[in-house]
């Protein structure tokens, strides 16, 4: 019986054949393949992709890939997902000038040297190296000032690790970065952050502090605010009086309606 991995790869050794590639792409000619998804197929060899040079969107996530040199031949690629593999080197992407979005979380990229190959890709606007939701990361993500270092290398990025870092909508991200810098500055300060302390100055020249002591936060509402209150004294009497008033009003309305009906009858008779 043929195993699932054998059927997926075509030869049962983590490789995908030309025939299977065309089958998954739904095409008859390998040069006609533009979109291809080969995720979760236990692949470690994608050398056949060298022949499919017109691919623009490629998903090879969740495999066993450590070598993606074949992708370097795909000059038209705009979207690439290599999430959850065993990749340590992406230098082959240095010539992918059309690449706009790269997802590479869950690999073995160790430091910023491993992503310098992306510096010349002016079309690259979205990059993901860390995925907190799916708990996929890279060793580079554990570096101090990880975000800052990557953005210095790739200043043209608009979305980084799922956060909008440039352009419209990036204000919140920048504000959080400034708050992080302030907190980090105070954390490494030897002095106590109080009214008598000198102001802290960061490398960027921004001054933070002195930080005054603040009173402890208090609840917005007082205890027992939502408790069911006992009815005030005399509430039953007021309720009874109101009911009597409603009955009297109804009685007056009924009498008025009766008199109006009698008046109409008399009027009709005289007519």
């Amino acid at each position: 019986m043929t195993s699932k991995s054998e059927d997926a790869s075509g030869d049962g050794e983590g490789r995908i054949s030309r025939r299977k590639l065309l089958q998954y792409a739904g095409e008859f000619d390998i040069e006609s393949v533009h979109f291809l998804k080969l995720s979760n197929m236990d692949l470690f060899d994608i050398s056949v992709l060298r022949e499919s040079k017109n691919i623009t969107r490629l998903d090879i996530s969740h495999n066993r890939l450590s070598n993606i040199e074949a992708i370097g031949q795909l000059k038209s690629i705009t979207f690439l997902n290599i999430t959850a593999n065993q990749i340590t080197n992406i230098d082959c992407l240095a010539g992918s000038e059309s690449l706009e979005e790269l997802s590479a979380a869950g690999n073995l990229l160790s430091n910023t040297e491993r992503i310098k190959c992306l510096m010349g890709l002016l079309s690259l606007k979205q990059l993901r190296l860390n995925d907190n939701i799916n708990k996929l990361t890279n060793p580079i993500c554990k570096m101090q000032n990880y975000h800052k270092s990557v953005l210095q290398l790739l200043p043209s990025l608009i979305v980084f690790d799922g956060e909008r870092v440039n352009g419209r909508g990036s204000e919140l991200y920048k504000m959080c970065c400034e708050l992080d810098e302030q907190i980090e500055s105070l954390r490494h300060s030897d002095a106590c952050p109080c009214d008598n302390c000198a102001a802290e100055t960061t490398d960027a020249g921004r001054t933070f502090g002195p930080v005054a002591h603040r009173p402890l936060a208090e609840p917005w509402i007082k205890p027992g605010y939502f408790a069911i209150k006992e009815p005030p004294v005399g509430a039953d009497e007021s309720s009874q009086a109101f009911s009597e008033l409603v009955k009297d009003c109804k009685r007056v309305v009924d009498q008025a309606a009766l008199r109006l009906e009698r008046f109409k009858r008399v009027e009709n008779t005289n007519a």
Side-chain angles (χ1 to χ4, degrees):
M1 180 180 294
T2 304
S3 67
K4 182 178 180 181
S5 61
E6 287 176 343
D7 180 65
S9 63
D11 55 16
E13 297 180 358
R15 296 181 176 87
I16 184 165
S17 65
R18 180 188 179 103
R19 179 179 61 84
K20 279 292 183 180
L21 187 152
L22 292 173
Q23 179 181 337
Y24 278 97
E27 298 288 349
F28 295 99
D29 184 359
I30 199 165
E31 293 184 356
S32 300
V33 178
H34 296 281
F35 311 103
L36 187 60
K37 183 174 182 180
L38 302 174
S39 60
N40 294 287
M41 294 177 60
D42 203 30
L43 298 174
F44 67 78
D45 187 340
I46 54 171
S47 57
V48 69
L49 292 180
R50 297 178 188 272
E51 305 175 37
S52 187
K53 297 182 179 182
N54 293 325
I55 290 180
T56 58
R57 297 181 65 87
L58 175 63
D59 183 353
I60 49 174
S61 60
H62 298 274
N63 285 295
R64 292 187 291 139
L65 298 169
S66 59
N67 186 330
I68 57 170
E69 291 294 327
I71 298 178
Q73 304 295 321
L74 311 180
K75 302 302 181 182
S76 300
I77 193 165
T78 60
F79 170 88
L80 177 60
N81 186 356
I82 55 175
T83 299
N85 280 286
Q86 302 167 14
I87 300 167
T88 60
N89 190 318
I90 57 173
D91 289 347
C92 62
L93 300 179
S96 303
E97 297 179 355
S98 299
L99 187 61
E100 300 175 1
E101 183 175 349
L102 172 62
S103 296
N107 282 288
L108 302 174
L109 301 175
S110 56
N111 51 53
T112 53
E113 292 293 325
R114 296 302 184 184
I115 61 171
K116 282 188 175 181
C117 59
L118 304 177
M119 293 176 62
L121 306 184
L122 301 181
S123 297
L124 185 63
K125 301 303 179 184
Q126 297 189 44
L127 173 65
R128 182 181 286 278
L129 300 175
N130 185 50
D131 185 347
N132 288 325
I133 296 178
N134 296 306
K135 298 181 179 179
L136 297 171
T137 185
N138 279 278
I140 186 179
C141 303
K142 298 180 181 179
M143 291 176 51
Q144 187 176 8
N145 298 322
Y146 154 65
H147 272 81
K148 187 175 182 180
S149 300
V150 173
L151 292 176
Q152 285 178 344
L153 283 177
L154 308 171
S156 62
L157 286 179
I158 295 179
V159 179
F160 178 44
D161 284 351
E163 297 178 316
R164 196 170 186 88
V165 296
N166 279 309
R168 186 177 181 181
S170 63
E171 295 82 3
L172 178 60
Y173 172 80
K174 294 178 180 179
M175 181 179 68
C176 292
C177 288
E178 290 181 358
L179 289 174
D180 288 342
E181 288 183 8
Q182 181 177 1
I183 293 172
E184 193 68 19
S185 175
L186 293 174
R187 182 182 300 169
H188 289 87
S189 174
D190 294 330
C192 174
C194 62
D195 291 331
N196 298 323
C197 296
E200 296 288 338
T201 304
T202 65
D203 295 338
R206 290 191 295 271
T207 301
F208 300 111
V211 180
H213 288 303
R214 304 292 183 185
L216 294 176
E218 298 181 357
W220 293 357
I221 57 176
K222 296 180 180 180
Y225 180 84
F226 292 108
I228 300 177
K229 299 179 180 179
E230 295 291 335
V233 178
D236 292 339
E237 296 179 0
S238 300
S239 178
Q240 184 176 1
F242 180 75
S243 298
E244 292 296 332
L245 178 61
V246 171
K247 290 180 180 179
D248 290 340
C249 291
K250 188 176 183 304
R251 191 179 304 112
V252 171
V253 171
D254 292 342
Q255 291 176 354
L258 181 61
R259 291 181 180 179
L260 181 60
E261 183 65 25
R262 290 177 179 174
F263 175 78
K264 288 181 178 180
R265 290 178 182 175
V266 171
E267 189 177 27
N268 292 333
T269 303
N270 295 334

